[in-house]
Amino acid sequence: MKNKTIITIILLVIGLGIGLALNQEKSTVRPVWAHNVQWLGEKPDNAQIIEELLWFEIAPYKTEYDFVNISSKGNATQMRISVTAKAVDSEKPDIYDFSYQDDELLLTGYLLEAVPQMFRNEAIGIALSDKDLAASIRNSGEPSVKRILPKTSEKFYAPKTLLSVTWKGISALVDPDERKVVQVWREGETGK
Amino acid sequence: MNKFVYGSILILALVMLTGLAAGSEVIMESIPVTDGMVAEQAINFTKLEISPPYINIMLQPGESKETTVTLKNKEKKAVSVKPNTVLAPYGGYNVDPEWIKVSPENAEIPAGGSQKFIIKATVPMDASIGYSSVQIAFTDEIMPAPYPNPFPSYIHALQVSLDIWTTPKIQIMTPYINDMLEGGKEYDYEIKLKNTGKETINIEPMMSSDNNRYSGQFGQMSAAFTDDAITISAPTNVPPGATEVVKVHVKVPKDAKGSYNGAINMNIDDTSIQPYEGMVQMSFNVWTQPAEAFERIFNLKESAPITIEISSGNNYNPYGQGIGANKKEPSFKTTLFGPTGNVDIKSTKTVIKGIVNMGGQIPPWELDSKGIYQENGVQLIETFKVSGSPGEWKLKVLPKNTESFEYSILIGE
């Protein structure tokens, strides 16, 4: 009887271990496009949960992230999360700011410039196809190209990923799929 | 003993399931709920919140991707839902609703409860390239319409944008040309085309027929020169794996002033390229590099050190003007003449001044970047110092590759 009890306890421990291990394996799966993920500074206790939430919120644009650096400020229940992601085919990174509270992650800001050179050039070419804009920018140097997320794009065109091509004082919102300029902004304009 | 073995196996299985279930619960509860959409209540529709209300999926042919949405029942009773994928109005036809699978196929959401659905999009290898949208209607409740509508407006619909893309077989490695030109001079540019496919692709670059459509539309901004000033020489095809060069020669008329904007249509014979693709945009600004230096005369009443500072106009982008071999950095030829003649001056200090902002005047669609550092202005400042003697002095500055500059003359310490 004593042996049976010991065997039962061992089986219980093994079973629980296998179950948790299987789950652990499932929950630590990172997207294939995130190659090196690193927490900078102190890693919060709930880092794993935050990471899982992050993979629903961030994604590279037609490329893969070589490095994803995550940093946090605050306590376990309320914190500010900053993510800087670098892609191999782009000089500039994608930067995301989040607030984390009550187990929810909220995107509070982003600056996404990790656009591969080919798509960057393409966007500039599309922007310059707007004759009025092309005449206005004259030789203002190279513009910045930023990815605009559907949540923002919806207010100006449609809920889809767009690219913002910006020179000093003038910007074109480009739909890369339709290859067209959907809005133009000039400094001093109050909005369209 | 047999009873014990069977019992043990049963316990083991139960415990494993418990372990899995306990872990899975964390994931289930941790999905963020953002920007929910509540149906209009004017006509007493079922209150269901879909979060997020739209998703955008980018896929290449042959790929598949999963994403999750959450439905929250805001009613005081259970609601049955059964997702149904349908074409969206004006959503395009290069997507088949069958490519979208939703699991579970149906669900009963208790009052105040939530249900997660996994949306799996699978694009077949022979899918057409382009952008389409479909909608997933979770119930058959529709907005009433006074007339039959081929695309009913579903109340509880998730909008799904599907962006099917592929890397074109021909890569245009120089999709735009942007440069400062001088009247009377000639310029050469190269547009590289790389064939990443397995078959030879024909090309026939020529000036776009749209170029003249806008001539004169902007009044004083009419083109600095016509398409005749541009000649194109190119091979007739690009073999597989090869990179060919299309040469563009621009002969700027001597009296040209203003700007030119046009495009070259590469006429690439490749079905993976949309008819409107394959254009190389050109933007030229014709101006005259000054031959004579700017002059400024000033006087010293007594001996004092003179500090002269010359700075380029604030260039919005740190990368200078032009592209590739035509890239031009601003520079200055600065000379100083004192009462006794030419003074040998050398730059004693060079300052690279950057402007970093976190917002300011930015396009409204970039407002989400406010608060994040952005460098968008670089200025070159050169400082010269000499010992000044009483009398008349003359500063001469000949700028190059900049349309504006600033100077300052500091007399004394």
Side-chain angles (χ1 to χ4, degrees), chain B residues 70-262:
Chain B
T70 306
L71 254 71
K72 189 169 184 182
N73 179 4
K74 297 217 157 184
E75 295 285 353
K76 290 176 181 169
K77 59 179 182 182
V79 173
S80 293
V81 295
K82 188 177 182 188
N84 178 29
T85 307
V86 293
L87 286 172
Y90 314 111
Y93 297 97
N94 58 339
V95 60
D96 185 341
E98 286 296 311
W99 300 348
I100 313 286
K101 299 290 178 201
V102 186
S103 61
E105 290 180 356
N106 53 58
E108 176 104 350
I109 310 175
S114 296
Q115 172 69 46
K116 276 200 314 174
F117 287 88
I118 295 169
I119 317 293
K120 184 176 183 182
T122 305
V123 177
M125 286 300 291
D126 59 350
S128 302
I129 305 305
Y131 169 82
S132 295
S133 55
V134 294
Q135 50 185 340
I136 298 170
F138 286 92
T139 69
D140 55 5
E141 289 181 46
I142 57 172
M143 287 289 283
Y147 45 84
N149 188 347
F151 295 103
S153 295
Y154 289 97
I155 305 294
H156 308 110
L158 168 74
Q159 307 301 322
V160 182
S161 302
L162 203 56
D163 177 6
I164 304 163
W165 68 284
T166 186
T167 307
K169 292 187 184 108
I170 281 267
Q171 289 181 5
I172 303 175
M173 300 168 89
T174 322
Y176 72 102
I177 299 168
N178 176 22
D179 204 2
M180 290 201 300
L181 311 180
E182 282 191 71
K185 290 196 174 178
E186 299 184 27
Y187 297 84
D188 290 297
Y189 303 93
E190 289 188 346
I191 300 166
K192 289 182 180 171
L193 300 177
K194 186 178 180 183
N195 183 353
T196 57
K198 292 177 181 170
E199 291 171 7
T200 295
I201 295 174
N202 294 328
I203 58 169
E204 194 181 359
M206 58 176 67
M207 297 305 290
S208 168
S209 56
D210 288 340
N211 284 356
N212 299 320
R213 189 178 292 175
Y214 301 98
S215 292
Q217 184 178 332
F218 307 108
Q220 343 170 353
M221 300 294 285
S222 57
F225 50 83
T226 59
D227 287 358
D228 303 345
I230 300 171
T231 48
I232 304 164
S233 50
T236 54
N237 60 54
V238 185
T243 299
E244 293 288 350
V245 175
V246 175
K247 292 184 175 173
V248 180
H249 183 77
V250 183
K251 187 176 181 181
V252 188
K254 279 184 183 172
D255 58 348
K257 276 187 177 174
S259 60
Y260 170 91
N261 298 289

Side-chain angles (χ1 to χ4, degrees), chain B residues 196-409:
Chain B
T196 57
K198 292 177 181 170
E199 291 171 7
T200 295
I201 295 174
N202 294 328
I203 58 169
E204 194 181 359
M206 58 176 67
M207 297 305 290
S208 168
S209 56
D210 288 340
N211 284 356
N212 299 320
R213 189 178 292 175
Y214 301 98
S215 292
Q217 184 178 332
F218 307 108
Q220 343 170 353
M221 300 294 285
S222 57
F225 50 83
T226 59
D227 287 358
D228 303 345
I230 300 171
T231 48
I232 304 164
S233 50
T236 54
N237 60 54
V238 185
T243 299
E244 293 288 350
V245 175
V246 175
K247 292 184 175 173
V248 180
H249 183 77
V250 183
K251 187 176 181 181
V252 188
K254 279 184 183 172
D255 58 348
K257 276 187 177 174
S259 60
Y260 170 91
N261 298 289
I264 297 171
N265 188 344
M266 291 290 139
N267 286 309
I268 299 167
D269 185 18
D270 178 5
T271 50
S272 73
I273 289 183
Q274 304 282 342
Y276 46 78
E277 289 181 326
M279 305 283 272
V280 170
Q281 302 296 330
M282 295 179 291
S283 177
F284 297 121
N285 181 24
V286 182
W287 75 313
T288 308
Q289 219 41 278
E292 297 295 323
F294 166 82
E295 289 185 8
R296 179 71 164 84
I297 293 171
F298 59 98
N299 285 284
L300 256 68
K301 291 178 182 169
E302 54 189 40
S303 292
I306 302 170
T307 307
I308 293 164
E309 207 173 79
I310 310 292
S311 58
S312 64
N314 180 8
N315 185 7
Y316 179 58
N317 197 285
Y319 304 110
Q321 308 283 352
I323 54 167
N326 293 306
K327 195 165 181 172
K328 300 171 181 75
E329 299 290 349
S331 64
F332 308 96
K333 187 181 177 189
T334 307
T335 48
L336 187 65
F337 295 87
T340 54
N342 188 8
V343 179
D344 184 27
I345 58 167
K346 282 182 185 166
S347 172
T348 56
K349 188 169 73 175
T350 300
V351 176
I352 298 165
K353 187 178 169 187
I355 295 175
V356 178
N357 71 24
M358 292 173 285
Q361 275 268 17
I362 57 172
W365 43 83
E366 290 185 12
L367 279 178
D368 284 312
S369 67
K370 275 209 168 192
I372 299 173
Y373 293 126
Q374 296 177 60
E375 183 176 22
N376 51 16
V378 172
Q379 208 172 7
L380 179 73
I381 304 168
E382 288 198 331
T383 304
F384 306 88
K385 282 187 177 175
V386 293
S387 298
S389 55
E392 185 179 274
W393 289 74
K394 186 192 285 180
L395 169 69
K396 294 175 85 172
V397 180
L398 183 62
K400 201 174 177 189
N401 300 330
T402 182
E403 287 185 301
S404 70
F405 68 92
E406 293 174 14
Y407 72 86
S408 72
I409 301 166

Side-chain angles (χ1 to χ4, degrees), chain A residues 82-100:
Chain A
S82 182
V83 179
T84 303
K86 284 276 290 176
V88 70
D89 40 15
S90 175
E91 283 180 16
K92 295 197 169 186
D94 280 349
I95 300 169
Y96 305 85
D97 278 347
F98 296 95
S99 74
Y100 176 77

Side-chain angles (χ1 to χ4, degrees), chain A residues 8 11 16 23 53 62 109-110 121 125 134 139 142 146 148 151-152 161 164 166-168 171 177 179 185, chain B residues 8 23 30 35 54 56 58 163 175 179-180 261 276-277 281 285 316-317 321 363 365-366 368-369 374:
Chain A
T8 306
L11 285 173
L16 195 61
N23 176 68
L53 295 174
K62 297 182 178 179
Y110 62 86
N121 287 343
N139 277 275
E142 288 203 19
K146 303 182 184 94
I148 306 298
K151 187 179 163 186
T152 311
T161 299
S164 175
T166 305
W167 290 264
K168 185 180 184 182
S171 177
D177 312 308
R179 291 187 61 87
W185 169 86
Chain B
S8 299
S30 62
D35 283 349
Y54 54 80
N56 185 28
M58 294 171 68
D163 177 6
D179 204 2
M180 290 201 300
N261 298 289
Y276 46 78
E277 289 181 326
Q281 302 296 330
N285 181 24
Y316 179 58
N317 197 285
Q321 308 283 352
W365 43 83
E366 290 185 12
D368 284 312
S369 67
Q374 296 177 60

